[in-house]
Every structure is written in C-alpha cells, then in structure tokens.
Amino acid sequence: MSPYTKEDFAHDWEEMCRMSASEKPDDIHELVQWEMARTHKSLIEYWGQVEKNFDTDAPLTDASTYFGFAKQWVRMVEIHHQLEEDVQFPIWDAHLPEQVSKNKAEHRELIAALTPFKEYLHSVDSGSATWDAEKARSLSQAFIPVLMHHFVEELYTIDAKILHEKGVSAETLKQSFAGVAKRGREVMDPVTDIPSFMAHNSGSSVWPQNVVPKDVLDKYPAIYAVHEGWWKYSAHPLSSK
C-alpha cells in the first residue's frame, strides 16, 4: 500500500468540504450524504485542534484540560461509529449489503489503529506515562490514513444517486434519521458530548439536530461553561472571555 501523503490528506479533506458545502438539502436522499459529510468534517476539524497542540506546552502545563479535550475527540469518533452500527447499518443493510459490510470492516480496522493512541492519552493523563509529542504523532499516523479513507469512501457509498438506484425509500431514510436521534439521546451526554462537537462545526448551531431535547438546547450557555477550559483548544472557541 502506498504511503498516505499530505496531498492525500488535503484531497480527502477537500472532498468532505465539497460534499458539505451547500445549504441543507430539502431532498432527504441528498441530506444523507450532506449531514454525514458535515459530521466527518467536524471530526477532522476537531482532530486538527488536538494534533496542533502536540508540540505546545498544553500537554505539560494544562494537562488535565488538554487531555480531557483530546480524549473527548476519541469518544466522539467512537460515538459516531456506534450510532452507525446500532441504527443506520441495520436499516441500510437490506438495500446496501456490500457497502454496509465494507463499512463495518473499515470500522474494525479503524478501531484497531485508534486504540493505541487512545490508550496512550489515558496513560499520560493518569500519570503512568510521560508525554512525548513524537510518540503521539507516530501513533496518530497509524490511524489518520485509515480514518480519512473511511470517511471519504463512506460518503461516496451514500451518494443520492446510489441510494435511489438501490431502492432506498424516503421513508427508510426518515426511519434512519429518527433512529439516530433517539439512540443519540440514549448514548450521548449533553454536558460533554454535544458542546465539544458543536465547537468544531464551523460555528454553526444548526447541527446536530434532534439529538437532545429543546429544553437542553436552551441551556447551552450553562452547559458550555462546565468545560470552558476546552474551548481555548477548539476550532471555534465558545467562551466569551
């Protein structure tokens, strides 16, 4: 397999940006790819904020906050894939069995590559290991190519034309969106999971939708304050200070 270059990363990033660039589509078949692209783009934008601080003093002088922020990124990747496997894949499997099988295999490959980095973050944060930027970078270089490739390939397989060709109905897609929203409310913590993700969504408050009840959404200012220290590392800081 050829090495994953900076040019490859730039290409994959541009593809995510391209597929998420338009206004929210009215056509639900187009909405599937658009929303997934926005999710993937947000996760990579979040990752960029974690990685850019490897060589700063943040892991040394602001360790609790920085590692909390970095570990939360790993959790968001895990939650994203959990929602797919718990809800979307079972629904899509009847129409897209090859794509679902491929995506499941990519998930397994990604988790295997991501786990050593996750374990290293927890080890340093707990004090059982010391921070080494080069080690962190080496561990991340093992999973970033897998993550980026998966994020783009998955978007290609849920293109509106393919969904139509495979006979995926609008009702099926509505069921999928509703299922993700319901499962999201069950597995996501609005105090940590929602604000941290929102901070990497190009400043938009439009997404995520229907993940938490409106009364929780109305309390966002208070929720954001719980982990205010994280926001200085975010792509779009939320603190007014």
Side-chain angles (χ1 to χ4, degrees):
M1 185 183 221
S2 59
Y4 189 79
T5 65
K6 290 182 179 180
E7 290 73 23
D8 293 327
F9 184 96
H11 170 270
D12 290 343
W13 171 249
E14 288 170 5
E15 283 292 87
M16 292 179 217
C17 292
R18 177 182 65 81
M19 286 182 265
S20 63
S22 66
E23 294 297 317
K24 180 180 177 180
D26 293 325
D27 186 321
I28 195 169
H29 286 80
E30 296 177 0
L31 181 62
V32 177
Q33 186 188 67
W34 179 84
E35 187 164 288
M36 188 74 77
R38 284 172 66 84
T39 302
H40 291 179
K41 179 175 176 287
S42 294
L43 285 167
I44 298 305
E45 191 171 50
Y46 190 161
W47 162 251
Q49 298 303 113
V50 174
E51 193 273 340
K52 72 187 288 186
N53 283 285
F54 280 1
D55 294 305
T56 70
D57 63 355
L60 302 174
T61 63
D62 193 27
S64 178
T65 301
Y66 174 72
F67 288 115
F69 179 79
K71 290 189 295 183
Q72 182 63 25
W73 174 79
V74 175
R75 174 167 165 77
M76 295 315 300
V77 173
E78 292 174 337
I79 287 176
H80 171 59
H81 290 123
Q82 180 183 352
L83 292 176
E84 288 182 334
E85 298 210 2
D86 287 355
V87 180
Q88 292 167 304
F89 287 177
I91 292 175
W92 295 350
D93 191 51
H95 303 275
L96 305 164
E98 292 183 9
Q99 288 89 337
V100 169
S101 178
K102 176 182 176 183
N103 286 329
K104 284 182 177 179
E106 289 174 353
H107 282 190
R108 291 192 295 270
E109 181 183 9
L110 171 60
I111 293 303
L114 179 61
T115 297
F117 178 75
K118 174 184 177 179
E119 292 175 343
Y120 182 60
L121 291 179
H122 282 270
S123 295
V124 177
D125 193 32
S126 68
S128 61
T130 57
W131 177 251
D132 183 329
E134 287 306 312
K135 179 173 182 178
R137 186 170 292 106
S138 176
L139 291 171
S140 66
Q141 287 173 348
F143 70 78
I144 284 298
V146 181
L147 180 66
M148 294 293 286
H149 174 77
H150 167 63
F151 273 1
V152 174
E153 287 299 311
E154 188 172 60
L155 294 175
Y156 291 151
T157 64
I158 53 173
D159 182 84
K161 291 182 180 179
I162 292 177
L163 296 178
H164 279 296
E165 289 172 0
K166 297 295 184 178
V168 184
S169 69
E171 190 57 40
T172 295
L173 297 178
K174 289 178 183 178
Q175 179 187 356
S176 176
F177 279 117
V180 169
K182 179 178 182 295
R183 186 63 176 142
R185 288 192 293 270
E186 296 169 350
V187 303
M188 297 178 78
D189 181 349
V191 175
T192 56
D193 298 333
I194 302 299
S196 63
F197 203 7
M198 291 288 286
H200 305 278
N201 197 38
S202 301
S204 172
S205 60
V206 175
W207 193 96
Q209 298 177 36
N210 304 319
V211 175
V212 292
K214 186 177 185 302
D215 64 327
V216 176
L217 291 171
D218 291 340
K219 296 175 184 176
Y220 264 170
I223 290 174
Y224 286 144
V226 174
H227 291 288
E228 190 172 8
W230 287 2
W231 312 143
K232 62 177 170 286
Y233 297 117
S234 301
H236 307 280
L238 301 178
S239 173
S240 60
K241 296 180 181 180

